[in-house]
Amino acid sequence: MQRDRIDLKRRKPARSSKDLVLVVHSQEVEAEYLRWVLRELGTYPARLLAVEEPGPSLLDLVSAALEAKRSEAKKGSPFDEVWCVVDGPLVVADEEAATRARRFDIKIARSNPSFDLWLLLHFTDHELPTEPAELREVLEQFRDGVLNLRGLYDAAARRAADLRQLHLGRGTQEGNPTTNIDELVGSLLESMRKFTGEVATRKL
């Protein structure tokens, strides 16, 4: 089945930008969403790096991020921030990767059970534990040929923050469902503000 398309009108970047943020990912749907975000912002303050090997672990993503981070630092153009985007629950095998990420100041944006949760939160609250396939079925209810996300970021970010607070109260941090993709997007917005010297006025 063809991956979901986020078919939104392109906006030309207002000016060029150095790479302020590196985002390492493994799923095309993540890259498609982030490319849309960058087009909407009108600048390109981020570089997207795909780890294309089948089913990469969080350690694979962190290792790729660290390699790219060190490479740019040697060139004298270090990234302001480095993020890894990952799906699924936190598992024992991720503990080493998470420790390594913290050691080298690499941030992790996780969606549990999948990235579709972040897309769904643009349209509605969702607090029930859900399998990825079920989540996709729920998301389909909000599709009219394409997903129109424009103007819905603030609502999605609020819902994501509410979910994290809910899990914090239950002692189930990073439980199903939860996501902090909003924190990654917020960093992109802040990078644009720093680069342009102006408060971002475009709405996602």
Side-chain angles (χ1 to χ4, degrees):
M1 182 182 295
Q2 184 178 0
R3 261 318 219 175
D4 299 332
R5 306 297 298 175
I6 302 173
D7 185 16
L8 297 168
K9 185 178 179 181
R10 293 172 179 261
R11 295 181 178 180
K12 295 182 179 180
R15 57 191 294 189
S16 60
S17 170
K18 68 176 182 178
D19 295 316
L20 301 173
V21 180
L22 171 68
V23 183
V24 181
H25 64 91
S26 63
Q27 302 292 330
E28 176 57 27
V29 67
E30 299 164 353
E32 189 172 16
Y33 169 77
L34 291 167
R35 286 193 294 264
W36 170 73
V37 168
L38 297 177
R39 289 197 302 266
E40 289 295 293
L41 293 183
T43 62
Y44 289 83
R47 182 187 306 178
L48 305 182
L49 174 62
V51 176
E52 297 180 350
E53 61 185 82
S57 65
L58 178 58
L59 185 58
D60 293 328
L61 297 176
V62 171
S63 296
L66 182 56
E67 181 179 352
K69 181 177 183 177
R70 285 172 169 169
S71 176
E72 291 304 303
K74 287 180 180 178
K75 298 175 184 177
S77 55
F79 296 108
D80 285 352
E81 288 188 4
V82 177
W83 288 79
C84 291
V85 180
V86 63
D87 284 1
L90 182 67
V91 296
V92 174
D94 289 343
E95 292 180 0
E96 177 186 352
T99 299
R100 194 178 192 198
R102 287 191 295 270
R103 178 182 176 189
F104 293 102
D105 196 24
I106 296 172
K107 300 181 180 180
I108 298 172
R110 181 185 296 275
S111 297
N112 183 11
S114 70
F115 190 81
D116 285 335
L117 172 64
W118 169 244
L119 300 179
L120 179 63
L121 292 180
H122 286 72
F123 303 100
T124 186
D125 294 298
H126 186 81
E127 297 182 358
L128 296 177
T130 312
E131 293 298 317
E134 296 173 320
L135 191 63
R136 177 163 291 274
E137 290 181 4
V138 176
L139 183 61
E140 285 296 321
Q141 300 174 19
F142 299 92
R143 184 181 306 284
D144 184 15
V146 296
L147 286 178
N148 186 355
L149 305 181
R150 185 173 291 131
L152 301 177
Y153 166 75
D154 287 343
R158 174 183 54 77
R159 290 174 178 133
D162 287 346
L163 276 179
R164 292 195 297 275
Q165 190 63 33
L166 178 67
H167 284 288
L168 181 63
R170 294 175 176 174
T172 56
Q173 289 89 327
E174 300 195 37
N176 181 346
T178 190
T179 181
N180 66 323
I181 296 295
D182 57 300
E183 294 177 342
L184 165 58
V185 178
S187 286
L188 293 175
L189 290 167
E190 179 65 10
S191 291
M192 187 188 79
R193 185 193 66 78
K194 289 179 178 178
F195 177 73
T196 61
E198 300 174 355
V199 176
T201 57
R202 291 191 174 93
K203 286 289 186 179
L204 293 179

